[in-house]
Amino acid sequence: MIRAIRACKTAAEERAVVRKECAAIRTSINENDQDYRHRNLAKLMFIHMLGYPTHFGQMECLKLIASAGFPEKRIGYLGLMLLLDERQEVLMLVTNSLKQDLNHSNQYIVGLALCALGNICSAEMARDLAPEVERLLQFRDPNIRKKAALCSIRIIRKVPDLAENFINPAAALLKEKHHGVLITGIQLCTDLCKVSPEALEFLRKKHTEGLVRTLKDVVNSPYAPEYDIAGIADPFLHVRLLKLLRALGQGDADASDAMNDILAQVATKTESNKNAGNAILYECVETIMSIEDNGGLRVLAINILGRFLSNRDNNIRYVALNMLMKAITVDAQAVQRHRATILECVKDSDASIRKRALELVYVLVNETNVKPLTKELIDYLEVSDEEFKGDLTAKICSIVEKFSPEKIWYIDQMLKVLAEAGNFVKDEVWHALIVVISNASDLHGYTVRALYKAFQTSSEQESLVRVAVWCIGEYGDMLMNNVGMLAIEDPVTVTESDIVDVVEIALKHHALDLTTKAMALIALLKLSSRFPSCSERIKDIIVHHKGSLVLELQQRSLEFNSIIEKHQNIRSTLVERMPILDEATFTTRRAGSLPAAVSTSGGASLNLPNGVVKPSTAPLVDLLDLSDDVPAAPGSSGGDFLQDLLGVDLSPAPTQSGTNQVQKAGTDVLLDLLSIGVPPVQSSSSTTDILSPIQNEKSPIATLDALSSSSSPSAQATSSARAAPMMDLLDGFGPSPSKPENNGSVYPPFVAFESSSLRITFNFSKQPGNPQTTLVQATFTNLTPNVFTDFIFQAAVPKFLQLHLDPASSNILPASGNGSITQNMRVTNNQHGKKSLVMRTRISYKINNKDTLEEGHINNFPREL
């Protein structure tokens, strides 16, 4: 059969041969062929290893196990271990055969039974056969004792409650001279320590010294050919002994003291030029680091790990780095001595070692060594592989941010990272850098000059370009006039045209994304006010994008051009420098514990979450920062500021409609001026002030088309006539009048479903300014004298609707209307005004533990929903 299968050239031929053989085996099984049963099972095992189903032969395993001869039992037990596992119910049938074989007079059959039990023992089998296995731990033959110990490990892992029965027999195995029995006995004791505190305490008190003596004998034993590996006597026994000593010494000072000497001896005497010796040294180090404190031993252990780092074998270096990660929490000073070697591992050719070494360096950094370590990492960043730069830049940025001793050093290091690997830097990193620059008022000139120089050589690094463009827009005049020169820098000669060139390059660079180009347009708008002589050139650059296929750039181009051409009297106020950004609030917001906040020049912090309208009496006055601490009422001093600044006549003129009409007209002029009175553009998010490029940079900018529109009486009348919702230009300032039908409209209760046993009533409400979304509160009432339990309401809607169901208030509905269950849902109609709501419902519950199901189709919702 094997020869025929191997001769097959295609998978189809192989399947044909296997099908033919399986058919012959089934025929033989049906005929109850005794002579070829074991050979058929051997064939089935081969077929099983090829991946074909062999479940029809499982009972043949049991028949062979029940037979008397050793050859048949051997094949039967082998088939049992291969074809079945502990989850198979048929396995329960073999328990009796196993019990008989464990008590068999032939030790080889006993060995077969132990081997099978150790591989597929289930919890039930463990409980039934544990006494037999416990007895075999004292069997005369060492091979049986060894197999019984391994089988005991499986039993106590499956049923930890049986551990106490094995404590004394396992402890007796620790005195064995036969290495095979001793190593299995040690492993059994190690597992007992994990599952039983009583076993751990017993072995700690009674056998720690004996284990220390055993390890000393093994370390000092003469050459024994049967156990020798690379000149070391039985390294496997060394390792098992060290693991058991580690379990005993952990958390116990007396046991730790007892093993200190032998651990020092193992650490100093073991040869490290062979892999077997390195395995023993590694276990020895792990044991030293786990047991109770001994400073000298720990230094010795960390020095061994330092030697491992110089090893040519990648596996040894990797496990050494792993162990040093654990050791640094115990003795950071000893690990610091190997800092240079660890840094070399960061430059290793193996990616796993590089990554692990970088994590270790990150943990090693503190206030005293941050500068040299950061320098080494940034130097390596220049030559590192592309796939490693992402991890490396993330760690460097985190180190600089966490341990920076001063702001100028922070800015210098971040600029180096941005210049070398700006394309790998995450957005929050350059956001944080801008916040730091904003707060370092004495370094504004130094920073903008450094960014100007870095841009000349690294204009392809996107994050660097963004920071440079932002700083040039804010502090471009400082760059030209060499304001705030420090002693460490040389003066730089830059003209207004040179500064505009930088922003123009950023705007025209084909590889830079929308965010960068949008920031560049804002920078140009600001420079048009800072550098009046370049205003025409800047206007030409901005106008160039008015035909852009990218809507965001097109909109900004048109609006900024309008500001430059028609609103020069307010341009300088609009493009004033950003107020100092609140560093503490930004840090908290990055941690996710606060909503976005903008710091005003007065030092107060205003929370401005998207889409939430904050009541304010004078939005324009607040925008231009003209108000004092007390907000001005509409039509009072705020109107005077605006009249003076914008030349808009807001004085109350005598009209037939009276004072209220005059105030309304004045307000409409202001709303029209800032496009607050036009219908809002359908957009996924509101946006922040155009003067705030670092906040929500990727959101669409609120339209400013009204700045270019006429403020003539006809335009004002048109604006006044429109009953559209106010657009929240400032993302949170000013009240928002809404359509009357959407402002908390009240709808009568609606009986959505009613049967002889259940009534469902819907109560509807609308969110102001959001007619598409309907909030529904469903109330369920039981009309029967029986209590409904396990109550579940389900609903389905067509594709043009979106449904969100909140959890119900309860899953038990009282009888006879003596109580109700409520459940809230939110339905969004994407075709509001064209299609009404429809819904299919399914309600399941139990009455006296009997399942009941009711279904309904609701299509008579009110049309206005």
Side-chain angles (χ1 to χ4, degrees):
M1 182 194 74
I2 293 173
R3 194 180 299 117
I5 289 174
R6 286 180 175 172
C8 294
K9 291 183 171 59
T10 64
E13 284 181 36
E14 182 183 287
R15 286 195 295 273
V17 172
V18 170
R19 274 198 301 271
K20 182 180 175 184
E21 288 290 345
C22 286
I25 292 169
R26 281 195 186 93
T27 304
S28 180
I29 289 172
N30 292 335
E31 292 172 357
N32 202 19
D33 188 342
Q34 302 284 342
D35 295 334
Y36 288 97
R37 182 173 282 155
H38 65 286
R39 186 175 295 176
N40 288 338
L41 189 57
K43 286 182 177 181
L44 277 178
M45 283 188 278
F46 186 81
I47 291 169
H48 170 78
M49 287 188 285
L50 292 175
Y52 295 96
T54 54
H55 54 277
F56 58 87
Q58 289 176 350
M59 292 305 295
E60 293 298 289
C61 295
L62 306 188
K63 290 176 184 176
L64 282 172
I65 289 169
S67 60
F70 174 78
E72 290 80 6
K73 281 185 180 290
R74 183 172 63 175
I75 293 293
Y77 276 122
L78 184 58
L80 183 76
M81 290 184 281
L82 273 178
L83 304 181
L84 285 88
D85 59 42
E86 61 181 275
R87 295 186 297 275
Q88 304 283 348
E89 290 183 7
V90 71
L91 202 62
M92 298 303 297
L93 302 175
V94 84
T95 304
N96 194 46
S97 296
L98 276 169
K99 189 163 191 171
Q100 290 176 1
D101 288 344
L102 288 173
N103 291 306
H104 204 280
S105 57
N106 185 336
Q107 69 183 49
Y108 298 107
I109 290 177
V110 175
L112 287 177
L114 284 170
C115 189
L117 188 60
N119 277 284
I120 60 164
C121 170
S122 63
E124 292 77 11
M125 293 172 68
R127 289 191 181 91
D128 292 339
L129 301 174
E132 277 69 25
V133 176
E134 184 188 341
R135 178 181 55 78
L136 290 171
L137 286 171
Q138 288 139 23
F139 197 79
R140 64 183 183 280
D141 184 70
N143 283 325
I144 298 298
R145 293 203 298 277
K146 179 175 72 174
K147 291 186 178 185
L150 293 172
C151 193
S152 302
I153 293 169
R154 171 91 177 192
I155 289 171
I156 63 169
R157 285 179 181 172
K158 289 291 173 188
V159 189
D161 295 344
L162 297 173
E164 60 182 19
N165 300 337
F166 289 92
I167 293 174
N168 288 317
L173 295 178
L174 297 178
K175 299 173 183 174
E176 286 279 350
K177 298 299 180 188
H178 188 283
H179 281 211
V181 181
L182 179 58
I183 201 169
T184 53
I186 290 168
Q187 185 59 46
L188 175 56
C189 289
T190 306
D191 278 68
L192 282 170
C193 291
K194 291 177 184 175
V195 300
S196 168
E198 294 82 7
L200 175 61
E201 199 56 38
F202 173 78
L203 292 169
R204 189 178 274 160
K205 297 290 185 210
K206 303 286 186 182
H207 292 276
T208 301
E209 292 183 1
L211 287 167
V212 168
R213 279 197 303 273
T214 304
L215 181 56
K216 191 175 291 185
D217 292 342
V218 175
V219 170
N220 298 321
S221 63
Y223 172 74
E226 63 271 31
Y227 302 127
D228 183 80
I229 295 177
I232 297 172
D234 205 341
F236 296 102
L237 185 55
H238 273 90
V239 168
R240 295 292 178 193
L241 278 165
L242 288 166
K243 282 186 175 178
L244 181 52
L245 287 173
R246 180 160 73 242
L248 298 179
Q250 204 162 7
D252 189 279
D254 293 336
S256 299
D257 287 342
M259 60 186 77
N260 279 341
D261 291 342
I262 187 60
L263 291 175
Q265 190 176 343
V266 172
T268 52
K269 285 189 68 174
T270 308
E271 293 290 333
S272 60
N273 54 354
K274 292 287 194 296
N275 208 39
N278 286 325
I280 294 169
L281 285 172
Y282 176 75
E283 286 299 333
C284 183
V285 168
E286 196 156 3
T287 303
I288 290 169
M289 303 309 296
S290 300
I291 65 173
E292 290 309 294
D293 186 38
N294 185 308
L297 266 183
R298 284 187 175 162
V299 171
L300 176 62
I302 291 170
N303 289 342
I304 291 171
L305 294 176
R307 289 208 309 273
F308 280 1
L309 291 178
S310 306
N311 198 298
R312 287 197 300 269
D313 190 303
N314 286 350
N315 293 325
I316 293 173
R317 275 185 291 166
Y318 186 81
V319 296
L321 289 167
N322 263 343
M323 182 57 67
L324 284 169
M325 283 290 288
K326 299 176 188 174
I328 197 166
T329 58
V330 179
D331 192 345
Q333 197 56 43
V335 180
Q336 288 280 4
R337 287 198 284 271
H338 300 281
R339 198 170 63 211
T341 316
I342 296 166
L343 268 172
E344 286 303 310
C345 290
V346 175
K347 304 168 187 177
D348 196 87
S349 57
D350 186 280
S352 300
I353 291 175
R354 281 203 308 263
K355 198 165 184 177
R356 183 59 72 194
L358 182 60
E359 289 171 4
L360 183 53
V361 168
Y362 181 72
V363 179
L364 280 174
V365 175
N366 54 38
E367 289 81 359
T368 58
N369 61 21
V370 61
K371 289 189 175 181
L373 278 178
T374 305
K375 182 182 182 304
E376 290 280 351
L377 292 176
I378 291 176
D379 288 347
Y380 176 59
L381 183 62
E382 298 175 14
V383 296
S384 63
D385 298 338
E386 290 295 308
E387 65 270 12
F388 189 52
K389 280 188 175 177
D391 288 335
L392 191 54
T393 52
K395 292 295 184 189
I396 294 172
C397 293
S398 181
I399 287 168
V400 171
E401 190 173 341
K402 191 174 180 183
F403 297 104
S404 170
E406 51 193 354
K407 285 187 176 177
I408 187 170
W409 185 84
Y410 173 89
I411 292 169
D412 284 343
Q413 305 314 307
M414 294 303 292
L415 293 190
K416 286 178 185 175
V417 173
L418 292 180
E420 288 298 334
N423 293 335
F424 297 91
V425 170
K426 294 181 179 176
D427 284 353
E428 58 263 24
V429 173
W430 63 266
H431 290 172
L433 176 59
I434 285 177
V435 172
V436 171
I437 293 170
S438 170
N439 280 267
S441 54
D442 54 334
L443 297 174
H444 286 168
Y446 170 78
T447 304
V448 75
R449 283 188 289 277
L451 282 164
Y452 177 80
K453 293 172 187 173
F455 183 89
Q456 309 302 320
T457 56
S458 304
S459 60
E460 73 285 351
Q461 302 293 342
E462 189 140 27
S463 295
L464 176 76
V465 174
R466 289 177 184 176
V467 179
V469 162
W470 187 89
C471 286
I472 287 171
E474 293 296 320
Y475 316 119
D477 49 338
M478 291 185 169
L479 174 59
M480 189 182 69
N481 301 323
N482 282 326
V483 175
M485 286 287 295
L486 301 181
I488 59 173
E489 57 176 330
D490 298 323
V492 56
T493 305
V494 183
T495 64
E496 292 180 356
S497 180
D498 293 337
I499 296 172
V500 175
D501 285 344
V502 168
V503 185
E504 186 178 11
I505 290 168
L507 195 56
K508 292 182 176 178
H509 198 296
H510 69 280
L512 300 182
D513 70 359
L514 170 62
T515 301
T516 311
K517 291 181 178 180
M519 291 177 72
L521 282 174
I522 291 175
L524 285 171
L525 177 64
K526 294 194 173 191
L527 291 176
S528 70
S529 176
R530 312 267 198 275
F531 305 147
S533 61
C534 292
S535 186
E536 280 302 314
R537 182 189 168 195
I538 290 172
K539 179 188 157 193
D540 293 341
I541 297 170
I542 290 176
V543 167
H544 180 71
H545 289 82
K546 71 179 182 181
S548 172
L549 296 176
V550 182
L551 182 60
E552 175 78 10
L553 298 180
Q554 183 189 112
Q555 183 176 347
R556 290 192 184 210
S557 174
L558 290 169
E559 291 167 356
F560 295 172
N561 182 50
S562 174
I563 291 172
I564 293 173
E565 278 191 344
K566 300 180 181 178
H567 301 282
Q568 293 186 6
N569 56 332
I570 64 166
R571 181 177 59 179
S572 58
T573 310
L574 284 174
V575 298
E576 281 182 350
R577 277 188 192 151
M578 288 284 294
I580 292 175
L581 303 170
D582 189 350
E583 210 166 348
T585 306
F586 175 80
T587 306
T588 311
R589 200 175 81 213
R590 276 183 75 186
S593 58
L594 279 182
V598 178
S599 175
T600 62
S601 60
S605 185
L606 296 174
N607 288 327
L608 304 175
N610 283 341
V612 178
V613 181
K614 299 289 183 184
S616 172
T617 52
L620 265 178
V621 177
D622 193 50
L623 169 68
L624 302 178
D625 202 14
L626 300 175
S627 63
D628 53 13
D629 293 334
V630 181
S636 63
S637 62
D640 296 337
F641 275 123
L642 293 167
Q643 181 179 3
D644 180 55
L645 178 69
L646 305 178
V648 180
D649 185 9
L650 299 180
S651 58
T655 63
Q656 293 178 355
S657 303
T659 309
N660 291 339
Q661 185 64 29
V662 173
Q663 277 194 323
K664 182 177 184 301
T667 306
D668 286 341
V669 172
L670 300 180
L671 299 184
D672 186 57
L673 181 66
L674 287 177
S675 287
I676 295 177
V678 298
V681 179
Q682 291 296 325
S683 172
S684 58
S685 63
S686 320
T687 52
T688 52
D689 177 9
I690 59 163
L691 308 181
S692 177
I694 67 161
Q695 296 170 25
N696 212 358
E697 185 59 46
K698 294 188 179 178
S699 301
I701 297 300
T703 182
L704 293 175
D705 286 338
L707 287 173
S708 60
S709 65
S710 169
S711 58
S712 63
S714 61
Q716 296 167 14
T718 304
S719 173
S720 174
R722 284 196 293 257
M726 181 190 294
M727 184 171 188
D728 190 13
L729 176 71
L730 307 181
D731 193 23
F733 291 99
S736 172
S738 306
K739 290 183 182 178
E741 63 268 24
N742 294 336
N743 192 5
S745 299
V746 179
Y747 300 89
F750 169 68
V751 178
F753 175 88
E754 188 166 8
S755 66
S756 59
S757 56
L758 180 68
R759 181 169 61 243
I760 306 176
T761 306
F762 285 172
N763 288 296
F764 305 107
S765 62
K766 291 277 192 181
Q767 293 178 331
N770 190 3
Q772 292 183 324
T773 301
T774 304
L775 305 179
V776 184
Q777 185 184 59
T779 305
F780 306 94
T781 307
N782 184 352
L783 306 178
T784 71
N786 300 308
V787 176
F788 294 173
T789 58
D790 294 346
F791 187 94
I792 298 174
F793 170 74
Q794 295 173 300
V797 293
K799 289 183 178 178
F800 69 88
L801 300 175
Q802 293 176 349
L803 175 65
H804 174 79
L805 273 173
D806 291 336
S809 59
S810 174
N811 64 349
I812 299 175
L813 187 57
S816 305
N818 292 328
S820 62
I821 294 175
T822 59
Q823 187 164 4
N824 294 327
M825 63 186 99
R826 185 171 69 250
V827 185
T828 302
N829 187 349
N830 294 322
Q831 298 192 26
H832 178 69
K834 298 179 183 177
K835 294 187 178 181
S836 298
L837 304 185
V838 289
M839 185 181 295
R840 289 187 65 86
T841 61
R842 183 165 67 177
I843 307 101
S844 61
Y845 52 87
K846 289 184 179 179
I847 304 177
N848 299 325
N849 287 326
K850 182 180 178 183
D851 290 326
T852 306
L853 184 68
E854 295 193 46
E855 296 184 340
H857 185 75
I858 309 171
N859 55 7
N860 55 343
F861 283 95
R863 290 284 300 172
E864 58 268 33
L865 298 179

